[in-house]
Amino acid sequence: MTVASPESFQGSLQPQGWLRYFSFSLDHKVIGLQYLVTGFIFYLIGGALAGVIRTELASPISDFISRDTYNEVLTLHGTVMIFLWIVPVVNGGFGNYLIPFYVGARDMAFPRLNAVAFWMIPPAGILLISSYFISGAAQSGWTAYPPLSITTPAAGQVVWILSVLLLGGSSIFGAINFIATVLKLRQPGLKLMQLPMYCWAMLGTSILVVLSTPVLAGTLILLSFDIVAHTGFFNPALGGNVVVYQHLFWFYSHPAVYIMVLPAFGLVSEILPIHARKPLFGYTTMVYSILGIVFLGLIVWAHHMFTSGTPPWMRLFFTIATSFIAVPTGIKFFNWLATLWGGKIALNSAMLFSCAFIFHFVFGGITGVALAQVPFDIHVHDTYFVVGHFHYIVYGGTVFVIFAAIYHWYPKFTGRMLNEDLGRLHFLLTFVGFNLCFLPQHWLGLNGMPRRVAEYDPAFTTLNQASSVGALLMAVSTLPLLYNVIWSAFRGPVAGDNPWRALTPEWLTSSPPPVENWVGAAPLVHEPYAYGIPADQIDLDVTSGKDLWSGGRG
């Protein structure tokens, strides 16, 4: 497979300096940063929408915005946060920047397709948000369940579908590129079981994207036919079946949780060993647990539908299958703890956000196992318990890792260090705000407060106000991050090539790296986690983690 050189393709017309980040660049590093910055802009928009929601819910009556507007804002918030922030950033952003380094390549397998995948995102986002001002936004939530999505204003829902289709196409193009890059562009001599863990996470994620995203695309196309051409695929008034829509939707949308979380698993598996100065514990089991999550993630979708008239045998199967996911995720949790155990831990911003991720993900995982049980799920279905659980997984399990990754790789991106005091302030505000916002929602759900409503029983006022204060703290927490990122890009201390003394390949070049990643030949790294081991004792024929630990060298 031949990789086009970004320099040779664009020649002297390629903008230099900061201007190249506004161009159709083929450099995987530029595209990765374009994903990160664009995603963060949409994070601010989605966060502002969340602020509107929590302001409305600070009082039990609908006195800040109308009910229709509340539904529109709720739909936009969910869609923006999932499809325009988390998925593009953890996959496209860090994946594009890191994967070619980790396999020893100078770019992605298909650089032009890579650029096209990114440039589908800004118009999709603009289209989605502009629908609110042009024709009224979709009101049916990010699930777009019929018949609600068929009976609400049609134009906004069709624009929503078109936007999600563009974003789905972008994800598929990116996933094909990651699979080809990892499998075909590895350096000669670099075995699969010697790759950094993030490569395995992106490989598993890309398989999920390729298998499940086309199902969502086909489902939304059929839904658009129901809206525009008045066909009857899902419209019960015309003989359609809304439960079929739910099966098809959740066949994608349950794996979508792992499309967001698996890359975060990979990123945190890179960060912990470096800042604990320990080999990653249980490398082999970590790889197989990723593959186990990919397989189980594809066969558990119907646990979202226990209240949709599913027969008892189906409930039993999906309960057992969903509960089994706790096994591979539990393996990863204990391996992360073992990696930290006895390490020389540096409690910097990257490590603080990583440790908070472990705490949040365990809590969200426990409530997830509870939701997999039919009696409990029926009790709390469509209540705020589900909202709290979902945000502990998606925000606590991915956004905290995104922040950890920003603090960890910022010196590589820019050549300068971020300010640690501002980083710790950012962590403190985010951690307190997040838990104050979403922990009370579990009690709200257990006591019966339904989700997706602008008005509620006054008995829930105190917990809702606490949740809104937490959301305000989360909003404030972005200020030190923004100031830190912008100020440090110009005035931060010079980082040097490898400020963390890391062993993975991206740190074995200059900061920021040159266009084709290395001057001269790319380094061949067999042991990315060989911390604390004398060089003459490293066996290049063994895999990392498990063998090093069992050999007493961890």
Side-chain angles (χ1 to χ4, degrees), residues 283-296:
Y283 176 95
T284 305
T285 56
M286 294 281 265
V287 171
Y288 288 124
S289 67
I290 287 175
L291 300 178
I293 291 171
V294 169
F295 172 71
L296 291 171

Side-chain angles (χ1 to χ4, degrees), residues 219-238:
T219 307
L220 293 180
I221 290 171
L222 294 180
L223 180 63
S224 68
F225 287 164
D226 277 6
I227 297 171
V228 176
H230 305 294
T231 55
F233 294 106
F234 307 120
N235 188 347
L238 298 175

Side-chain angles (χ1 to χ4, degrees), residues 197 264-281 286 332-359 401 404-405 408-409 500 502 528-529 531:
M197 191 55 61
F265 285 177
L267 291 171
V268 85
S269 297
E270 303 301 331
I271 295 170
L272 291 178
I274 292 172
H275 296 282
R277 313 311 298 174
K278 284 276 300 293
L280 181 68
F281 182 82
M286 294 281 265
K332 300 186 83 63
F333 165 69
F334 286 112
N335 283 354
W336 289 324
L337 289 187
T339 301
L340 294 174
W341 187 269
K344 297 178 180 176
I345 297 174
L347 279 179
N348 51 31
S349 303
M351 183 61 98
L352 289 171
F353 275 106
S354 298
C355 292
F357 148 78
I358 296 174
F359 169 74
V401 174
H408 179 72
W409 276 288
W500 311 124
Y529 307 117
Y531 299 104

Side-chain angles (χ1 to χ4, degrees), residues 306-365:
F306 286 153
T307 61
S308 300
T310 49
W313 70 266
M314 190 180 287
R315 288 179 173 182
L316 179 63
F317 171 79
F318 284 102
T319 292
I320 295 172
T322 305
S323 300
F324 263 117
I325 290 187
V327 176
T329 51
I331 288 171
K332 300 186 83 63
F333 165 69
F334 286 112
N335 283 354
W336 289 324
L337 289 187
T339 301
L340 294 174
W341 187 269
K344 297 178 180 176
I345 297 174
L347 279 179
N348 51 31
S349 303
M351 183 61 98
L352 289 171
F353 275 106
S354 298
C355 292
F357 148 78
I358 296 174
F359 169 74
H360 294 144
F361 192 78
V362 169
F363 185 83

Side-chain angles (χ1 to χ4, degrees), residues 7 14 94 124 133 162 252 256 284 290 313 335 385 401 421 449 452 467 482 487 532 535:
E7 284 185 330
Q14 171 65 34
F94 292 105
F133 303 99
L162 184 59
Y252 163 80
T284 305
I290 287 175
W313 70 266
N335 283 354
F385 187 93
V401 174
D421 291 335
M449 179 174 167
R452 300 177 179 131
S467 189
L482 273 174
W487 182 86

Side-chain angles (χ1 to χ4, degrees), residues 34-75:
Q34 287 174 330
Y35 268 106
L36 291 177
V37 173
T38 304
F40 192 77
I41 291 171
F42 283 116
Y43 170 66
L44 296 178
I45 295 172
L49 294 169
V52 173
I53 294 170
R54 289 313 317 174
T55 302
E56 173 57 55
L57 295 177
S59 64
I61 60 173
S62 179
D63 55 357
F64 182 61
I65 54 177
S66 69
R67 296 172 184 173
D68 285 347
T69 302
Y70 180 86
N71 290 335
E72 293 172 353
V73 170
L74 194 71
T75 303

Side-chain angles (χ1 to χ4, degrees), residues 86 138 156 186 321 338 352-353 364 450 494 511 543:
I86 296 177
R186 293 194 319 279
L352 289 171
F353 275 106
V494 175
S511 297
T543 57

